[in-house]
């Protein structure tokens, strides 16, 4: 048989635990009481093609009345839903239930600078009906319809065992193509305060940022990024999983600025198995970045900062590092001391939250005025993201493939020494102190 498609691995959607839908489905006995539910919103710009799926689509639509005008869109919508479900099944959920959020309303149809219009809501709903009728999915309706299964939520699709079997067959044949026909076009994305996409006019800053991201994407996509999964063996990240985009918030290019990409959702245990062109990788992480950035934000010169910043700013006698790190982040994120204490009490495994907060305030008294101001997301992330952007600029200039994970970098082991130099140099320029870099592989 002549191959019609080129092998292309599934993308990594950002799956997260969905407590709202999980609780609802548990209460209806649709999923087990002790089962967590992980979901991600389906990318309705991406569909999968393969000889087997072509045969399946022909079979399941036999006898259906689909006009010639909408025939292609109906097929694309169905193949898009197949792909979203395959991406869910491809996710390493460690035995928990996985589903996809599938929009059937017109809210996803608006044409902006960020996306192209794809197929209609009618096609999206028809895709659901076709796969339901053939026992490939379970569907529970969300939306604002008062007759919805759950008003106010995006509808959810759960793959069946029959679909799982089809997924395994497609992967076993290996002859498939995942195609993104109307993907987000922008490498630099701006959000309003309400998290809605904001339009903007390009300037020298956005142009420079876009040029770097485009160049870094080409560099990363020119390499084979693979990882190991239990029972399946080697898997290769698709090109779309490696697409970097820089996000800004609050309608300003001075807010947030973190660089995101789908591959960042890989579990840490899986990231440890990453290979670049067959070579082992290393993950390089800044130790205690948040406290260091807080001292910069407070305007303190290097000589006025505690020496611990060049060691471990989360070291406070009587508490574990993880307890102090969690509590410090909470103090930087919340808008009141009482909220911080309450959050830490719930999250820090029985520690006396009030005493821990007092210890942090004393240990970092020079920046204690910054606590309970919500300063991390509003201010400090732009410092962090600027440092990461500068590191990527160095990597790109030297032709070093690199994947940013918030304040960490994944690169080849052979490039690790050079990337550490970039990280130290960029951090020193921004913060005025020498950082501690933690290496894991």
């Amino acid at each position: 048989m002549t191959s019609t498609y080129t092998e292309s691995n599934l993308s990594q959607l950002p799956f997260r635990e969905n407590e709202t839908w999980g609780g609802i489905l548990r209460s209806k006995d649709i999923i087990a009481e002790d089962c967590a539910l992980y979901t991600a919103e389906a990318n309705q710009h991406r569909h999968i093609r393969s000889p087997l799926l072509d045969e399946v689509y022909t079979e399941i639509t036999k006898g259906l009345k689909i006009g010639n005008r909408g025939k292609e869109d109906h097929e694309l919508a169905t193949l898009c839903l197949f792909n979203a479900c395959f991406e869910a099944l491809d996710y390493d959920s460690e035995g928990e239930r996985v589903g996809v959020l599938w929009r059937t309303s017109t809210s996803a149809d608006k044409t902006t600078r960020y996306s192209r219009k794809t197929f209609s809501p009618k096609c999206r709903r028809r895709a659901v009906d076709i796969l339901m009728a053939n026992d490939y999915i379970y569907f529970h309706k969300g939306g604002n319809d008062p007759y919805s299964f759950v008003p106010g939520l995006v509808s959810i699709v759960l793959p069946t065992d029959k679909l799982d079997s089809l997924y395994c067959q497609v992967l076993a044949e290996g002859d498939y193509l995942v195609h993104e026909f109307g993907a987000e076009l922008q490498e630099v994305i701006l959000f309003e305060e309400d998290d809605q996409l904001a339009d903007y006019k390009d300037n020298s800053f956005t142009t420079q940022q876009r040029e770097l991201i485009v160049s870094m994407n080409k560099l990363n996509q020119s390499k084979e990024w693979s990882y190991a999964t239990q029972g399946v063996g080697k898997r290769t990240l698709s090109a779309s999983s490696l697409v970097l985009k820089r996000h800004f918030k609050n309608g300003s290019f001075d807010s947030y600025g973190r660089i995101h990409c789908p591959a960042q959702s890989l579990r840490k245990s899986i990231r440890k198995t990453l290979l670049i062109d067959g070579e082992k990788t290393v993950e390089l992480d800044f130790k205690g970045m948040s406290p260091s950035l807080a001292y910069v934000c407070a305007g303190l010169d290097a000589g006025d900062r505690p020496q611990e910043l060049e060691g471990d700013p989360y070291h406070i006698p009587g508490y574990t590092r993880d307890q102090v790190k969690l509590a410090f982040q909470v103090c930087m994120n919340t808008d009141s001391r009482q909220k911080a204490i309450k959050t830490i009490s719930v999250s820090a495994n029985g520690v006396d939250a009030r005493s821990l907060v007092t210890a942090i305030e004393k240990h970092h008294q020079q920046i204690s005025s910054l606590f309970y101001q919500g300063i991390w997301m509003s201010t400090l992330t732009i410092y962090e993201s600027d440092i990461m952007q500068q590191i990527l600029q160095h990597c790109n200039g030297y032709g070093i493939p690199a994947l940013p994970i918030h304040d960490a970098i994944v690169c080849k082991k052979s490039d690790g020494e050079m990337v550490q130099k970039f990280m130290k140099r960029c951090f020193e320029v921004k913060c005025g102190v020498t950082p501690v870099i933690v290496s894991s592989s």
Side-chain angles (χ1 to χ4, degrees), residues 9-238:
N9 283 73
L10 298 167
S11 297
Q12 298 295 318
L13 284 174
F15 283 88
R16 300 287 184 268
E17 185 171 358
N18 190 325
E19 296 181 357
T20 304
W21 264 117
I24 292 164
L25 297 182
R26 282 191 292 271
S27 70
K28 302 285 185 179
D29 294 327
I30 293 170
I31 63 175
E33 185 62 35
D34 60 349
C35 185
L37 175 69
Y38 287 81
T39 64
E41 183 159 342
N43 184 337
Q44 295 185 335
H45 298 96
R46 190 159 59 230
H47 67 279
I48 186 169
R49 304 299 300 254
S50 83
L52 177 57
L53 286 176
D54 285 350
E55 293 174 9
V56 169
Y57 181 77
T58 300
E59 181 64 29
I60 63 180
T61 56
K62 189 180 296 183
L64 296 181
K65 292 182 179 180
I66 301 176
N68 289 331
R69 188 174 179 181
K71 187 175 181 180
E72 182 180 359
D73 281 354
H74 277 91
E75 182 178 7
L76 287 176
T78 305
L79 294 174
C80 177
L81 183 51
F82 266 132
N83 181 72
C85 290
F86 283 6
E87 289 177 338
L89 293 167
D90 199 57
Y91 177 67
D92 183 13
S93 62
E94 297 185 349
E96 305 294 356
R97 198 67 183 269
V98 183
V100 291
L101 304 177
W102 181 256
R103 292 189 180 275
T104 56
S105 68
T106 57
S107 61
D109 277 350
K110 296 177 182 177
T111 301
T112 70
R113 71 177 289 140
Y114 302 98
S115 61
R116 294 191 183 99
K117 183 175 178 180
T118 56
F119 33 76
S120 69
K122 181 180 178 181
C123 293
R124 291 197 288 269
R125 184 54 208 245
R126 187 68 177 272
V128 168
D129 293 339
I130 290 171
L131 296 196
M132 280 183 65
N134 288 275
D135 299 322
Y136 283 117
I137 62 169
Y138 302 111
F139 176 74
H140 303 290
K141 195 176 186 311
N144 296 315
D145 183 344
Y147 299 103
S148 296
F149 184 81
V150 182
L153 295 179
V154 177
S155 301
I156 189 169
V157 171
L158 302 176
T160 64
D161 290 342
K162 182 179 179 181
L163 187 57
D164 192 2
S165 177
L166 178 61
Y167 156 77
C168 292
Q169 287 179 266
V170 171
L171 260 63
E173 290 188 357
D175 186 19
Y176 64 94
L177 173 69
V178 178
H179 179 60
E180 199 149 349
F181 55 89
E184 287 186 336
L185 304 174
Q186 296 296 313
E187 291 79 19
V188 180
I189 301 175
L190 180 64
F191 294 92
E192 298 284 10
E193 291 184 7
D194 60 0
D195 288 333
Q196 296 297 309
L197 289 169
D199 206 351
Y200 61 87
K201 291 183 179 179
D202 279 313
N203 54 33
S204 58
F205 173 78
T206 58
T207 300
Q208 181 188 45
Q209 294 299 305
R210 184 175 295 107
E211 288 175 352
L212 170 62
I213 296 295
V214 168
S215 182
M216 198 69 212
N217 284 340
K218 288 181 179 177
L219 173 59
N220 282 343
Q221 291 172 340
S222 70
K223 312 297 180 182
E224 181 189 69
W225 294 68
S226 59
Y227 62 94
T229 57
Q230 191 173 13
V232 178
K234 176 183 170 183
R235 302 298 302 276
T236 303
L237 287 174
S238 66

Side-chain angles (χ1 to χ4, degrees), residues 393-404:
Q393 194 162 355
H394 285 297
C395 290
N396 187 57
Y398 279 80
I400 296 174
L403 176 67

Side-chain angles (χ1 to χ4, degrees), residues 277-328:
D277 283 346
E279 182 179 330
K280 289 184 178 181
T281 60
V282 62
E283 185 166 328
L284 304 171
D285 195 359
F286 286 107
K287 189 174 185 179
M289 183 177 240
S290 298
S292 299
L293 295 179
Y295 279 88
V296 173
C297 186
L300 297 173
D301 293 330
D304 298 324
R305 302 174 199 168
Q307 290 184 345
E308 296 96 308
L309 282 180
E310 297 193 28
D312 189 355
Y314 296 128
H315 175 69
I316 297 180
Y319 301 97
T320 68
R321 186 179 191 278
D322 286 344
Q323 289 171 340
V324 177
K325 182 177 180 179
L326 169 66
F328 186 92

